[in-house]
Amino acid sequence: MPQDNTLDLSGDRSSARDMRVAILDAALDLAEEKGQWTAVRLHEVADRLQIPPSQVLDHYRDLDSVADAWFLRGLKAMVAPKPADFMRHPAWRRIEICLLAWFDALAPHQRVTAQMLQGKLHLSHP
């Protein structure tokens, strides 16, 4: 489905956040198309968004920082406000609710998410 990915970059905080989201989403889409997270190149993300590569670097230093932003999306879903009765649940159920929120947030790109995690599983990373 064709879409116009050009963005208005007025320089305000909302535009910067919109650009970060657009870059992340474009990288995820490219990874899905290529079938491999490590095959994504930031200059290709810039090309897709019709912006200079330096603008991508204004927001993300490398592909690993893009992956970090993806996991932050999951974390925000996990710590989002809970129903009023949340604290009445036993601890195991509260943990389950939080983990399911994280999984649900990242579910649209399960395969790519797993590839990101594999890329982070090296001795120096933890």
Side-chain angles (χ1 to χ4, degrees), residues 88-101:
R88 291 188 200 128
H89 292 289
W92 69 265
R93 178 67 179 129
R94 293 192 310 264
I95 292 169
E96 179 182 51
I97 291 168
C98 291
L99 286 175
L100 288 174

Side-chain angles (χ1 to χ4, degrees), residues 7 12 31 36 44-45 51 56 58-59 78 82-83 85 90:
L7 298 172
D12 63 28
Q36 185 62 38
E44 295 171 324
V45 174
I51 60 173
V56 173
D58 287 342
H59 301 281
M78 188 170 75
K82 304 292 183 258
D85 68 341

Side-chain angles (χ1 to χ4, degrees), residues 71-115:
F71 293 125
L72 180 60
R73 214 182 260 189
L75 178 61
K76 286 181 177 182
M78 188 170 75
V79 300
K82 304 292 183 258
D85 68 341
F86 178 74
M87 292 308 293
R88 291 188 200 128
H89 292 289
W92 69 265
R93 178 67 179 129
R94 293 192 310 264
I95 292 169
E96 179 182 51
I97 291 168
C98 291
L99 286 175
L100 288 174
W102 192 80
F103 292 136
D104 288 345
L106 303 180
H109 298 284
Q110 282 181 343
R111 184 172 40 96
V112 172
T113 300
Q115 292 169 355

